[in-house]
Amino acid sequence: MGIDPWGQRLDDHTPIAEVRAQAGAVKYRCAGGKEVDLPPFDSGEAAVEGLDFRAWKAAQDAEYGDGERGEITGPTLRVAGRVVLMRTAGKLVFASLRDQTGDLQLMIGKQQVGDDWDLVDKIDLGDLIACDGTLVRTNTGELTIAATGLTFLTKSLEVPPEKHHGLTDPEARQRMRYVDLAYNDGVMPRFLARSLIVRSIRESLAERRFVEVEGPTLHAIAGGAAARPFTTHHNALDIDLFLRIALELHLKRLMVGGIERVYEMGRVYRNEGISPRHNPEFTMIELYQAYGDYNSMMDLTEALIIDAIDRLREAGYAPSGDKPYVLPWGDDTIDFTPPFKRRTYDDLFQEYAGCDPNDEAAVAAKAKSMGFAVVDEAGAPRHADVIKSEVFEETVEDALVGPIFVTDYPASLCPLTKRKTGAPHIAERFELFIKGMELANAYTELNDPDLQEELFKSQLAGLDESESMAKMDDDFVRALRHGMPPAGGLGIGIDRLVMLLTNSQTIRDVILFPLLRPER
RNA sequence: GAGCCUGUAGCUCAGUCGGUAGAGCAACGGACUUUUAAUCCGUUGGUCGUGGGUUCGAGUCCCACCGGGCUCACCA
């Protein structure tokens, strides 16, 4: 090479990494003085085609068939992307160009590109270039653009990761998600699938006349769930505030206000541990439908998931075939074929725990045998339903392959839920479990202000005063006193849904920038 | 917060019993106009996470610390 491609290379023995590391060493210009002058890519017909490599290649294959090697009569094309692989064979170079949609091979011949051949020497892996050319099919039958011209767009000053393995360190992948997205297989499609799932849910709800709203994320009272909130402070008002832990209470206020079908999809923050299924900030959707109940919420939950799978399949992100709702999950699969199973809490308890859920003594004995405490530290007996739920979580939840709706929970565990008519100890609630993971949670909403107040108070009875003050939401009770329609309410963990639909075993694979300790 | 594992070149990884720090990819020089992780010849590149200790000698053994992973705990 010998030539200094960027006007700054020191000598033939200086590694490119060092050249690249020198701040200001590389300007946005090419040696040879060729200016970057690209028309906007979305303004021309060919350019639009070039923007979706994957769809474009499929279309060309369909149009031109699986041809032999040779020229194809077709349009002149211009594509742009990142050079991720290069195979040089003397005066002929094959390069893999990658854009958001996939990879496309370029064939660059010295004779064919003329003066632009100077550029080829100067392209490093990771650089962004544009290529003008015509369609050819190579010896191996791969649809390829035979370059007639090259345009340098952007220099990559950092060296790309190893080309076989990519970046494997999970921390580095999350910290440098841009590198992960750019070079690691499967990452881009997964996040594009996430975007599609979110869009699908919004569209499905719009079809059903749901109204999307944005509630406050700064709460004076962090309610709607039992979780530790993050705290922050507003200087001008000199008050402590909490980042929201749930969307519920403000959405219900809007129902009182008359928005009959309301939802919010947004971030909530819980100051708790990190695990493959938990990130301190995560995305959930909560929706409320006036005059619905938990049964209509079950139907809706199923529909939202099925719609999303349909959308993924249309876009090529989910398998098609005779079992379109069977999705891969690690070495296994998940069968989303509707309808999902529906079983009551007591029914499952009987089956998996092997004792009568309504026989308190038997449940207590079972709990004791499993090592759970049946009396609290003061020696007083613990609430029967709490003991029962511990046994349930231990014996039933992990065994639930699903998708399965678990219905009719003990009422004492559900302070925001309406009681079953004629069975006040049962709450009209379901949770959707898939692969042992709690994906959705829904109620027939409690709209009795007096009962709500009472339940708040009894729920807070075990907490100390400061916590109690933080949780008692008098305004919410006041809102209910103005009359909230009977309604079904539903919450779905979006991150977990994306995990299940994209075969991702950890939540950190579906969150672009999961919480990490600051570097250094 | 607890237990187990882990940190070596830009990236992916070896490194035996404590005895001169290695390979592949990338990068640099050379050959090659149908390659597919191209191939072939040559070259450059190291604070072995940090600090201490043992030793004639430490990537290797010991201690502490700092990261990371897995499992558990926390988590409607």
Side-chain angles (χ1 to χ4, degrees):
Chain A
M1 190 163 297
I3 311 167
D4 171 354
W6 309 110
Q8 296 288 333
R9 181 152 300 174
L10 306 177
D11 55 67
D12 287 352
H13 299 289
T14 305
I16 188 66
E18 281 178 37
V19 175
R20 287 166 158 177
Q22 294 177 44
V26 178
K27 303 298 181 193
Y28 291 95
R29 63 179 173 79
C30 297
K34 180 161 181 171
E35 292 294 319
V36 173
D37 182 20
L38 269 191
F41 264 75
D42 53 0
S43 65
E45 193 184 329
V48 170
E49 288 173 333
L51 264 189
D52 188 339
F53 289 179
R54 202 166 54 120
W56 176 82
K57 274 206 281 194
Q60 298 299 319
D61 272 328
E63 186 169 349
Y64 300 110
D66 299 327
E68 303 284 303
R69 166 183 173 175
E71 303 269 338
I72 291 170
T73 309
T76 299
L77 297 155
R78 164 168 278 196
V79 294
R82 187 186 295 275
V83 177
V84 292
L85 280 179
M86 275 212 283
R87 297 174 288 280
T88 64
K91 299 176 186 64
L92 184 69
V93 172
F94 291 90
S96 298
L97 196 67
R98 176 172 299 172
D99 80 352
Q100 183 182 301
T101 64
D103 290 0
L104 185 63
Q105 182 169 260
L106 307 180
M107 185 171 75
I108 305 162
K110 181 177 184 182
Q111 207 163 23
Q112 288 79 4
V113 296
D115 290 347
D116 288 348
W117 183 252
D118 290 346
L119 259 178
V120 174
D121 269 351
K122 296 153 194 161
I123 295 169
D124 289 303
L125 294 187
D127 291 351
L128 300 171
I129 66 169
C131 173
D132 294 289
T134 56
L135 270 182
V136 296
R137 219 173 261 288
T138 62
N139 277 355
T140 54
E142 179 165 347
L143 209 49
T144 298
I145 292 189
T148 53
L150 295 174
T151 308
F152 179 82
L153 298 175
T154 302
K155 190 73 195 163
S156 169
L157 297 175
E158 296 285 343
V159 181
E162 211 269 352
K163 70 183 176 188
H164 312 161
H165 308 91
L167 202 56
T168 59
D169 175 21
E171 190 210 352
R173 292 180 57 189
Q174 292 158 24
R175 209 179 280 290
M176 297 192 286
R177 186 65 90 185
Y178 35 88
V179 175
D180 193 34
L181 273 170
Y183 296 104
N184 277 20
D185 286 344
V187 179
M188 180 71 76
R190 190 166 64 238
F191 284 105
L192 295 179
R194 178 177 179 133
S195 171
L196 261 186
I197 291 165
V198 167
R199 194 198 311 166
S200 169
I201 290 170
R202 286 204 161 95
E203 287 175 359
S204 298
L205 289 174
E207 283 167 16
R208 292 168 173 80
R209 307 191 322 280
F210 278 84
V211 174
E212 182 172 13
V213 299
E214 293 105 320
T217 56
L218 295 174
H219 287 190
I221 300 167
R228 274 159 53 202
F230 286 92
T231 59
T232 185
H233 187 80
H234 187 270
N235 290 335
L237 294 180
D238 191 24
I239 50 170
D240 287 330
L241 291 168
F242 303 99
L243 300 186
R244 67 181 175 188
I245 57 173
L247 314 173
E248 177 150 2
L249 301 184
H250 288 87
L251 292 175
K252 284 182 172 175
R253 284 174 169 92
L254 296 174
M255 294 248 295
V256 171
I259 308 181
E260 294 173 342
R261 297 186 177 201
V262 65
Y263 79 96
E264 174 165 7
M265 181 153 29
R267 211 68 63 82
V268 297
Y269 306 86
R270 297 185 179 180
N271 204 340
E272 283 155 7
I274 295 172
S275 85
R277 286 162 166 64
H278 298 84
N279 191 58
E281 56 175 316
F282 62 101
T283 303
M284 64 183 303
I285 183 170
E286 286 194 29
L287 64 88
Y288 296 87
Q289 178 177 346
Y291 318 119
D293 63 8
Y294 76 141
N295 286 305
S296 47
M297 290 301 101
M298 264 185 272
D299 296 339
L300 181 58
T301 303
E302 211 172 276
L304 291 176
I305 293 173
I306 292 301
D307 285 355
I309 295 172
D310 287 339
R311 289 294 298 264
L312 290 177
R313 187 172 48 251
E314 283 161 23
Y317 294 126
S320 52
D322 53 346
K323 289 182 179 170
Y325 298 109
V326 177
L327 268 50
W329 180 251
D331 298 330
D332 199 5
T333 57
I334 309 173
D335 188 353
F336 286 97
T337 309
F340 302 167
K341 271 182 285 204
R342 302 181 182 192
R343 297 277 301 277
T344 67
Y345 185 94
D346 279 355
D347 200 16
L348 289 164
F349 191 94
Q350 177 77 56
E351 179 177 334
Y352 287 92
C355 74
D356 182 353
N358 294 308
D359 181 343
E360 282 189 20
V363 172
K366 176 76 182 173
K368 216 167 180 175
S369 76
M370 294 174 63
F372 293 118
V374 293
V375 293
D376 65 19
E377 283 157 15
R382 300 172 70 213
H383 195 292
D385 286 342
V386 173
I387 296 170
K388 196 164 144 186
S389 83
E390 285 178 353
V391 174
F392 184 90
E393 283 170 22
E394 187 71 18
T395 58
V396 184
E397 285 192 5
D398 291 343
L400 294 178
V401 173
I404 181 171
F405 291 109
V406 178
T407 66
D408 297 343
Y409 279 66
S412 56
L413 302 176
C414 316
L416 296 161
T417 312
K418 189 175 254 181
R419 277 69 182 115
K420 218 173 172 64
T421 312
H425 61 292
I426 302 286
E428 292 201 344
R429 171 193 185 183
F430 75 74
E431 290 193 290
L432 174 59
F433 283 91
I434 303 176
K435 294 291 172 189
M437 201 155 46
E438 178 197 332
L439 182 67
N441 184 16
Y443 313 135
T444 303
E445 299 297 338
L446 180 63
N447 63 348
D448 175 338
D450 296 332
L451 181 54
Q452 180 69 79
E453 184 167 20
E454 192 188 315
L455 291 174
F456 268 155
K457 281 179 178 159
S458 67
Q459 185 192 25
L460 298 175
L463 304 174
D464 65 38
E465 198 172 334
S466 61
E467 276 183 282
S468 173
M469 289 297 286
K471 299 276 179 143
M472 185 67 207
D473 194 336
D474 289 317
D475 176 71
F476 178 66
V477 173
R478 178 169 65 190
L480 290 187
R481 294 178 68 82
H482 283 86
M484 186 182 89
L490 167 67
I492 299 175
I494 297 296
D495 310 278
R496 289 178 176 180
L497 177 62
V498 174
M499 285 170 66
L500 291 166
L501 297 187
T502 60
N503 192 11
S504 306
Q505 317 296 309
T506 128
I507 200 168
R508 297 163 91 74
D509 281 343
V510 299
I511 294 177
L512 281 167
F513 298 102
L515 185 68
L516 295 169
R517 219 176 277 274
E519 227 167 337
R520 262 166 246 294

